[in-house]
Amino acid sequence: MGKKKILIVDDEMDMRIFMSTLFETSGYKAVATRDGKDGIRKAKDILPDLIILDVMMPGEGGVQMYRQLKTDKTLKDIPVVMLSAVAKKTFIHYLKMLNIQLNNSIPYPDAYMEKPPEAEELLKITGKLILQK
């Protein structure tokens, strides 16, 4: 059994480098990309064990990618950690409002962390979610 794969989708290069290094040095295989469009493509290609997804990105942002993930038969069960400078309370409110407009609502993410993430906390959440999968 190979290393567990983590897909990192974040438009900030320093965050991609930080998280890739953190996961690689902790025994995971990290794959990083900078936007939601490429993130969906990579997710379908590598079928990661977990996805770290930035909420606010230019173009196709994290919420749109999250929605695509949760409505795709092959990707919907992959745990997702949403990561953002936006407060959790604000994000949850936004998701509630979005779900009111949708015919079939999307579930809340498996975890939500505010930026900048604490390395130990991120590893703890990641490990827990991958074990539950």
Side-chain angles (χ1 to χ4, degrees):
M1 189 160 138
K3 291 181 177 183
K4 297 289 185 181
K5 295 174 284 199
I6 298 177
L7 176 62
I8 300 160
V9 185
D10 197 307
D11 62 316
E12 296 176 44
M13 188 185 339
D14 59 338
M15 287 302 295
R16 289 193 309 270
I17 292 169
F18 163 71
M19 288 188 282
S20 293
T21 304
L22 176 68
F23 290 126
E24 289 283 344
T25 58
S26 299
Y28 296 99
K29 166 95 175 102
V31 177
T33 187
R34 59 189 256 179
D35 63 41
K37 193 175 182 180
D38 195 37
I40 284 289
R41 225 179 358 257
K42 287 258 196 247
K44 287 179 179 179
D45 185 40
I46 68 166
L47 295 174
D49 296 287
L50 182 122
I51 298 171
I52 306 284
L53 180 57
D54 184 17
V55 173
M56 295 180 3
M57 295 182 286
E60 191 164 311
V63 175
Q64 288 86 348
M65 181 180 164
Y66 181 68
R67 206 166 137 209
Q68 284 182 277
L69 287 169
K70 293 304 169 185
T71 55
D72 185 288
K73 284 183 171 91
T74 57
L75 304 175
K76 68 182 173 86
D77 295 325
I78 298 170
V80 177
V81 177
M82 298 296 279
L83 190 65
S84 182
V86 173
K88 182 178 182 177
K89 189 170 135 180
T90 304
F91 174 76
I92 296 298
H93 178 72
Y94 173 74
L95 205 53
K96 277 182 189 173
M97 294 299 105
L98 186 64
N99 279 339
I100 287 170
Q101 298 171 4
L102 300 173
N103 289 339
N104 49 346
S105 61
I106 51 177
Y108 291 110
D110 298 282
Y112 187 94
M113 291 186 75
E114 293 179 25
K115 281 184 176 180
E118 280 290 324
E120 288 179 24
E121 184 70 13
L122 185 57
L123 285 172
K124 188 171 124 185
I125 288 170
T126 301
K128 185 176 147 194
L129 290 172
I130 287 176
L131 282 176
Q132 288 174 359
K133 190 178 166 209

